[in-house]
Amino acid sequence: MNNDIQDMTQPDEPQASPVKLIDKEQLTPTQIVEQLDKYIIGQKDAKKSVAIALRNRLRRQNVSEELRDEIMPNNIIMIGPTGVGKTEIARRLAKLARAPFVKVEASKFTEVGYVGRDVESMIRDLVEQSVAMVRSEKSEEVREKAALLVEERLLDILLPPVSGVEELDHASEEEEALVVSGEEELIEEKNLEREVNRKSRQKMLERLRAGRMEDRQIELEISGDGPGGMMQIFGPLGQMEEIGGIMQDLMSGMPKKKKKRRLTIAEARKLLEQEEVQKLIDMDAVVKEALRKVEESGIVFIDEIDKIAAPTTGAGGKGPDVSREGVQRDLLPIVEGSAVSTKYGVVKTDHVLFIASGAFHVARPSDLIPELQGRFPIRVELKSLTEEDFYLILTQPRNALIKQYRAMLRTEQIDLEFTDESIREIARTAAKVNETVENIGARRLHTILTNLLEELMFGVPEMLADGTIAGNRVVIDADQVREKLGKVVADRDLSQYIL
């Protein structure tokens, strides 16, 4: 009896099937966070959430087929002020996953019936990005073979082969006729001509590969624009945007004009390589793979989602806010899973990962319609940046601003150095201005460093010429930072317009 009751209370589970384990080469959540740490300072909670979401995708792809379609992605809302790393986290995540990624502004979309972009355009953009990404991957795979074909085409232009040179080991009908008539001397002369041509082409090929002929000019026949040239469709966004793309595809299928141009071998090599790569790529396979990538691993980042939420949502808002709730309702089926028609085929959005973000200064996440809130179950709050965060941002990431400025000035043979005290003074200034004027996060560092280094970046060539810079070395210390930025920081009005 007890066993019967136990059986009745247990939920039905699908029949067990062999579990496919995740490849050990795939990044673990800890490794994903470590990779994000190389570019983004702090925000551990947000990094942890996106790392779990990315790993769950791998887990889903390896579960049994009975459950695979039932596992939905956990979409994320990032809440935090501008400049704290929301967009950068999503962008770096997509690069780590090698997944199609598109960033859209929620405020650009309008409700169906209004002039503007419809929400389905984000999926069309994602498909376009995916096709370009897969095409690029396939291009790299065939580039070596294309390079060999390009060499053959360049050889044919520089030194055309003698007729029949490909069949040196087999006598042609003409040669057999000559043997019958007893004219062996003509055969020997023809064979000698072929051998000389073969050796000359081999020497020319060696010179081409050694790069000794890159500046030589040749005449090349290339494809020009189609008969209609570039086509533009003027009208409201949305449907007209798609019609314009379809018309452009139709025009591209028509025969293209050929025209002759004189180019250097280096220039011709690039054009011919593009042609050969396009011939070697199977576009049907590219499109099929691109659609699979979108459906299985696509990521859509919806920025400024707070702009389509308002305190009046659900209470009959009027005036300029009339289409906000409409945009949310149009967005809902895309996020929860629907079929979107694109020029490459129908795409299902059931397993696309959506990451939304917003500052939510005026509105709150609870001001979104309940159905949309339910489709973003994970909420992560990103913290405002502190003085210590600014210091780390300037020194630790691989793409730190100071490293960028040093690399740029190195092209002018200048070694730019910052003392540790100067970097801390810059960080302190950024934190203070963000508190007194408006908090724009790490973007404040761009304006501060631009103002600090403005004179140097402008006058470097002349300073080098007249010897103003001793030893091609410039050192920025804390006193220079205070002298350059002190007055601006102290004056609130100046800070508002300059920093």
Side-chain angles (χ1 to χ4, degrees), residues 93-112:
L93 183 75
K95 285 186 178 181
L96 286 175
R98 295 179 184 173
F101 173 81
V102 67
K103 175 182 179 289
V104 297
E105 307 288 335
S107 56
K108 297 287 180 67
F109 298 112
T110 58
E111 185 180 358
V112 173

Side-chain angles (χ1 to χ4, degrees), residues 471-497:
N472 289 16
R473 183 167 172 265
V474 176
V475 179
I476 305 294
D477 57 30
D479 291 336
Q480 289 174 279
V481 176
R482 283 189 286 265
E483 181 184 350
K484 181 71 177 176
L485 302 175
K487 291 181 181 178
V488 179
V489 173
D491 191 324
R492 180 181 171 85
D493 292 332
L494 281 176
S495 297
Q496 190 171 355
Y497 290 106

Side-chain angles (χ1 to χ4, degrees), residues 23-275:
D23 192 344
K24 291 182 180 180
E25 293 181 0
Q26 298 289 350
L27 293 175
T28 64
T30 301
Q31 292 171 331
I32 293 169
V33 171
E34 288 172 356
Q35 291 295 320
L36 293 174
D37 283 341
K38 294 178 181 179
Y39 299 96
I40 302 147
I41 297 299
Q43 315 301 357
K44 295 294 183 184
D45 292 341
K47 291 175 184 175
K48 190 175 179 181
S49 294
V50 297
I52 293 170
L54 187 58
R55 186 68 177 185
N56 280 347
R57 290 192 143 191
L58 293 173
R59 290 164 178 154
R60 175 190 162 270
Q61 291 167 11
N62 287 273
V63 301
S64 61
E65 291 185 9
E66 294 88 347
L67 277 175
R68 191 177 302 161
D69 290 337
E70 303 298 326
I71 300 174
M72 296 293 116
N74 287 332
N75 299 321
I76 303 167
I77 284 188
M78 295 184 185
I79 305 164
T82 183
V84 295
K86 300 188 295 292
T87 306
E88 193 65 16
I89 286 173
R91 186 180 287 118
R92 294 291 173 184
L93 183 75
K95 285 186 178 181
L96 286 175
R98 295 179 184 173
F101 173 81
V102 67
K103 175 182 179 289
V104 297
E105 307 288 335
S107 56
K108 297 287 180 67
F109 298 112
T110 58
E111 185 180 358
V112 173
Y114 289 82
V115 175
R117 301 193 76 187
D118 63 285
V119 293
E120 289 187 355
S121 65
M122 70 174 74
I123 303 300
R124 292 194 288 268
D125 292 343
L126 187 65
V127 172
E128 289 285 356
Q129 206 277 339
S130 182
V131 169
M133 186 174 73
V134 175
R135 187 193 292 122
S136 177
E137 292 172 357
K138 298 293 184 184
S139 297
E140 291 303 317
E141 291 176 9
V142 301
R143 199 166 295 281
E144 190 174 336
K145 185 176 180 181
L148 296 175
L149 295 172
V150 168
E151 285 178 349
E152 286 296 322
R153 288 182 64 177
L154 288 173
L155 271 178
D156 291 345
I157 294 170
L158 293 166
L159 189 64
V162 173
S163 176
V165 73
E166 299 86 356
E167 302 291 337
L168 284 174
D169 296 333
H170 302 282
S172 64
E173 292 181 4
E174 183 184 354
E175 288 170 344
E176 291 176 359
L178 289 172
V179 170
V180 173
S181 61
E183 298 182 13
E184 288 87 354
E185 291 182 4
L186 286 175
I187 297 175
E188 291 179 6
E189 185 179 336
K190 195 170 184 180
N191 287 338
L192 181 62
E193 184 181 357
R194 289 171 177 170
E195 185 64 20
V196 169
N197 180 269
R198 187 185 66 80
K199 290 181 178 179
S200 298
R201 283 172 64 88
Q202 186 62 35
K203 289 181 180 178
M204 188 76 74
L205 179 60
E206 291 173 2
R207 293 177 65 190
L208 273 174
R209 288 177 175 173
R212 297 201 298 267
M213 302 181 66
E214 295 300 285
D215 295 330
R216 180 170 173 178
Q217 287 201 336
I218 58 172
E219 193 174 78
L220 185 67
E221 193 176 60
I222 61 173
S223 299
D225 294 330
M230 292 296 293
M231 173 173 287
Q232 286 183 311
I233 304 291
F234 293 96
L237 294 172
Q239 296 298 325
M240 300 305 292
E241 186 180 68
E242 188 173 2
I243 292 170
I246 294 170
M247 292 300 295
Q248 196 67 49
D249 288 343
L250 288 174
M251 298 300 292
S252 65
M254 298 178 69
K256 294 184 178 180
K257 298 177 183 177
K258 295 279 188 179
K259 56 182 180 181
K260 290 186 177 182
R261 284 179 57 188
R262 290 198 67 81
L263 303 167
T264 63
I265 286 180
E267 294 169 336
R269 192 190 297 274
K270 291 178 183 177
L271 290 174
L272 291 174
E273 190 173 283
Q274 290 175 5
E275 287 185 15

Side-chain angles (χ1 to χ4, degrees), residues 400-417:
L401 270 178
I402 286 178
K403 295 177 183 177
Q404 293 178 26
Y405 275 104
R406 292 184 66 186
M408 286 192 290
L409 284 174
R410 210 169 285 132
T411 64
E412 306 257 15
Q413 297 182 331
I414 295 291
D415 287 329
L416 177 65
E417 295 181 13

